[in-house]
Structures are given as C-alpha cells and as structure tokens.
Amino acid sequence: MRAPSLDRRSFLTFAGLAGATAALAACGGPSTSGGDGDAGGDIDYSGVQPASEITWWSNNPGSSEEVSRQIIERFQQQNPGIRVNLVTAGQNYEEIAQRFQTAQAGGTLPDLVVLSDVWWFRYYMQRSIVPMDPLIDAVGIDTGDYREQLIEDYRYDGKLWALPWARSTPIFYYNKAHWAAAGLPDRAPQTWAEMAEWGPRLQGAGNGTQNAFQLPALADYAGWSFQNNLWGAGGAWSDEWDITCDSPESVAAMQFLQDAVYTDRWAGVAGTEGTTDLSAGAVSATIGSTGSLVTVLESSNFDVGAGFLPAGSVSGPVCPTGGAGVGIPAGIEPERQLAAATFAAFLTSPENTVALSQATGYLPIRESADISPLLAETSLRQVAIDQLDVTRTQDRARAFFPGADGEIARTCANILTQQADPQAELATLKTTLQGIYDGDVAPNL
C-alpha cells in the first residue's frame, strides 16, 4: 500500500530521523517533495572557476565500472585541474536513488549522479537537480549532436534536466539454432500475431526448452517492455497525464500475454532475467535491454539473433526508450556544478559513447560517433540503432509517477503468474496510479 505523500516541511523533518532510508524504501520510492533548491532558476556561471575535485555517483549500469574508470583517467589527463572520484552508490537504479534521496536530507551530495528513466522526474519535482541548459552553454556542449530520441526524454517545462549516457531500448533476442530446428526464417517475428503462430512450432521442435518465449521478469521493469505490447494494440499506461491502463486496448494487450502463458502455453515468465534463461538454452527467445547485448553474446554458446520488438494489431513497430542519464544536484556550489558539467561533457562525448557501447551494448548517444568498430565487432548492434527510428517516449504514468513502476509490475505479476482477470487488475491499477498523480505529482508540477 502506498503511504500518504508528505509535504515539504514534514518530509524534511521525517527524512532527518534515523531509519529514514528504510521508511522511504517501504513507500516504493522517495517522496517527491524533498529539497528546497530552486531547480527552475538558472545560475550565471560566467566568472565561475570549476572546482578541483568532484564525485560521481553511479550504479555502474551494464557492468560499466571498468570503462567508466578508463574514461575518468583519460579525462584527468586532459583536465589535470579536476579530479573525479567514482563512487558505486548502489547496485541498481533504485539503490542509487535512495542514497541520493537520503543525501538531500542532510548528507553529502555528489556532484554528478546517474538518474534512470523512472527517477529523474521526481528530482525535477523536488527541485533537487539543476537545469542543464546554462551549464551546457558554459562548457560548450553541442546538444544537436545527441540523438534526438535520447536527449529529448530529459526535456520538461522547456528545459533539459539531464544528459543521456547509458541509454537503451528493449530488443528481441532469439536462439538461431532453435529457429532453424522449427523451420522458421532467420529473423525476429514481425508481429505478435506471428510470434503466436511460431510459438507452438518452437515448442514442438524438440529443442528441450521450458518455453518458446520468455516474458521479461516482472520485477525487472515489466512496465517498460510491455509498453510495446500496449502501444501495438492501441493502448498505453497513460496518455500524457490521463491514466489509460484500463482501456479496452490495454486490457486486450495484457489478455494476449496471459493467453500466451496459460491458454496457448508457448510463453513463460522469467524468474530473474529472460536473457539469462535464453543464454542457458532454457528458452528460445526473450526480450531484453540492449545494455545486455555483450553479456548475452558472451554467455551464449549458440548463435544469437536479434530484431525489432514485434508490431501489434494496430500500429507498426514501436519501442520505448530507456536507460539512464546523468544530472547535477541543485544543492552544491556553482563551482562544483561547473566542474561536474565539464566532466559530463567528456563522459558523453562521441568517443566515450563508443567506448561504453563497446563494453556493454548501450546505445551510442551521439550522431557523430564513429560506430564502425561497434558494427565490425557485432552487426547486431545495428538492430538497436535502427530501432531508434521507431522509438516513442515512455508513458508518463510509468516514467514520471513515483513508485508507479512497482505498482505496474505487481499488476502484471497478478495477471501473468496468478491468472488474475486483466480487466479487474488494470481497473485497480488505474485507481492506484490516479492516487499517485493526485497526491504526489500534480501538487509538485
């Protein structure tokens, strides 16, 4: 159950108490009425000298710590006046967000922090991150060179609140040997209807699998990849600020997935990660992040295929963006903010986006980046790059509502592991999401 939202004054009192982090975690995420910084006010950085030392908080997404340290070393060689300390501030996006929230209530703030797709907006509402625009001007970042689909995710109220960094989309992974055994063409299914035809053929091909297809682990951002299913059917978790998760189209999308598990029996649900099940040969196909590409290839002893997410019954191919960017806290001195922006510009440079992509599978975020080394290493990277042309900004109910991703995951779990009625579950979800919007979002816009 979601706890009542706290107003700004009571939150600051509450967050200073011992055990605040645990209490906030029990609420499904930090309150959105935290710091007193003015995130909307632009700072004049003219005449400001960058600080000599900064701290970067990261959760090292996609096992990126080694490449991050290499980037830091190159930065310090070119900028000997700024030392960068990399701190592993959490094992995932949720843990780093909790630590950042705790620091808002009186701890030591970082100078640069990783902000995932479902966490940055609550910090905008808290006024605890600064707009990047004046810093972009101060350090001379060419925002026109970032891939538009990836940088515009961080724009709200006419300002940019983060820079893209470890950005990803879900893609369709499959076992080519299993495909061949079933007599299927060497490609991903073009539509979900086609996958429903292929599923039984894969099940009967003697591949020794648990399931032909493995739905992503529900606790692992099910609301992210399932946007493809909802959008393809003409539904969505929300339309701007309007909650639409219980629309007939959304219900039909979730009913299709439930039927694939319980009626037609060609799909299952991953316990931890669908890509792990694929690499182990337990399933023939799954959907996973592009950030998992290198791990999937290295851990599989078969030829891996990849393709766009399947289209639905209403729209053509459509895919959500995802992953993380980097932002700068409002509660630190301008000198630290300027030094952090100087490093962020280097971190997200064309050369370093290639280095990150090569080590992990995350998308190259700069248009001018030379991606030929990436494609020479594996042509599958081209799939993710090409799929950017059919990406769509995520539904606000999933990305902007605090704690909503967890609520969506619980609903999906009820439908897909408990065989609960999709219509009833999504109606309940709508009530929950509306409560989050009314209590935690609308008052802070």
Side-chain angles (χ1 to χ4, degrees), residues 266-290:
W266 53 265
V269 179
T272 53
E273 249 187 273
T275 51
T276 301
D277 297 338
L278 176 72
S279 295
V283 301
S284 298
T286 192
I287 284 174
S289 169
T290 58

Side-chain angles (χ1 to χ4, degrees), residues 60-409:
N60 307 312
S63 302
S64 57
E65 180 176 358
E66 183 178 352
V67 69
S68 294
R69 293 195 182 280
Q70 292 170 357
I71 291 171
I72 288 172
E73 183 178 349
R74 291 195 296 271
F75 172 78
Q76 291 180 161
Q77 289 172 352
Q78 297 181 28
N79 299 269
I82 303 176
R83 176 180 174 82
V84 179
N85 300 306
L86 175 63
V87 173
T88 300
Q91 297 303 310
N92 52 45
Y93 293 138
E94 288 68 32
E95 288 184 8
I96 194 172
Q98 294 292 346
R99 183 166 176 176
F100 185 55
Q101 182 64 69
T102 301
Q104 301 294 327
T108 300
L109 287 167
D111 303 292
L112 190 71
V113 62
V114 169
L115 302 173
S116 85
D117 53 351
V118 299
W119 289 93
W120 75 266
F121 191 75
R122 68 193 71 194
Y123 296 127
Y124 158 78
M125 291 192 292
Q126 283 182 294
R127 312 299 187 259
S128 59
I129 53 175
V130 295
M132 296 294 296
D133 306 82
L135 285 163
I136 286 169
D137 292 341
V139 302
I141 300 174
D142 177 14
T143 56
D145 188 46
Y146 291 87
R147 294 183 185 274
E148 183 179 4
Q149 305 96 322
L150 302 180
I151 193 170
E152 289 302 312
D153 280 349
Y154 302 109
R155 194 175 301 281
Y156 185 79
D157 196 26
K159 295 179 180 179
L160 197 65
W161 299 94
L163 288 176
W165 178 55
R167 298 305 311 277
S168 60
T169 61
I171 59 174
F172 189 97
Y173 293 101
Y174 65 96
N175 184 321
K176 290 193 171 193
H178 291 185
W179 247 236
L184 299 177
D186 184 13
R187 61 171 174 80
Q190 295 176 343
T191 65
W192 282 109
E194 187 171 52
M195 185 63 217
E197 295 174 2
W198 289 3
R201 292 175 61 179
L202 287 161
Q203 290 288 79
N207 289 316
T209 58
Q210 297 172 358
N211 305 296
F213 179 77
Q214 197 81 314
L215 295 166
L218 303 180
D220 189 21
Y221 315 119
W224 178 44
S225 62
F226 286 171
Q227 287 171 117
N228 157 259
N229 301 91
L230 268 64
W231 296 343
W237 300 123
S238 66
D239 179 8
E240 297 291 330
W241 299 118
D242 295 330
I243 315 300
T244 59
C245 63
D246 66 337
S247 70
E249 295 82 4
S250 299
V251 172
M254 294 306 300
Q255 184 67 62
F256 173 87
L257 294 177
Q258 188 185 73
D259 288 346
V261 175
Y262 289 101
T263 303
D264 303 321
R265 298 184 180 277
W266 53 265
V269 179
T272 53
E273 249 187 273
T275 51
T276 301
D277 297 338
L278 176 72
S279 295
V283 301
S284 298
T286 192
I287 284 174
S289 169
T290 58
S292 302
L293 177 62
V294 171
T295 300
V296 170
L297 294 176
E298 289 179 347
S299 58
S300 301
N301 62 0
F302 53 84
D303 286 340
V304 177
F308 284 18
L309 299 188
S313 58
V314 173
S315 77
V318 62
C319 176
T321 54
V326 288
I328 295 175
I332 61 175
E333 296 83 1
E335 291 81 4
R336 292 169 61 188
Q337 293 172 347
L338 186 60
T342 302
F343 174 64
F346 185 85
L347 177 69
T348 61
S349 68
E351 296 76 17
N352 287 325
T353 189
V354 170
L356 179 68
S357 296
Q358 201 156 24
T360 62
Y362 282 106
L363 293 163
I365 59 174
R366 300 292 289 263
E367 294 283 1
S368 64
D370 178 10
I371 61 174
S372 56
L374 301 177
L375 300 181
E377 200 172 77
T378 172
S379 60
L380 292 187
R381 297 179 190 275
Q382 189 68 57
V383 172
I385 295 169
D386 291 345
Q387 191 177 229
L388 282 171
D389 290 338
V390 297
T391 53
R392 173 172 157 183
T393 300
Q394 294 192 59
D395 295 336
R396 287 183 177 178
R398 194 261 167 176
F400 284 6
F401 290 21
D405 199 34
E407 298 292 347
I408 291 171

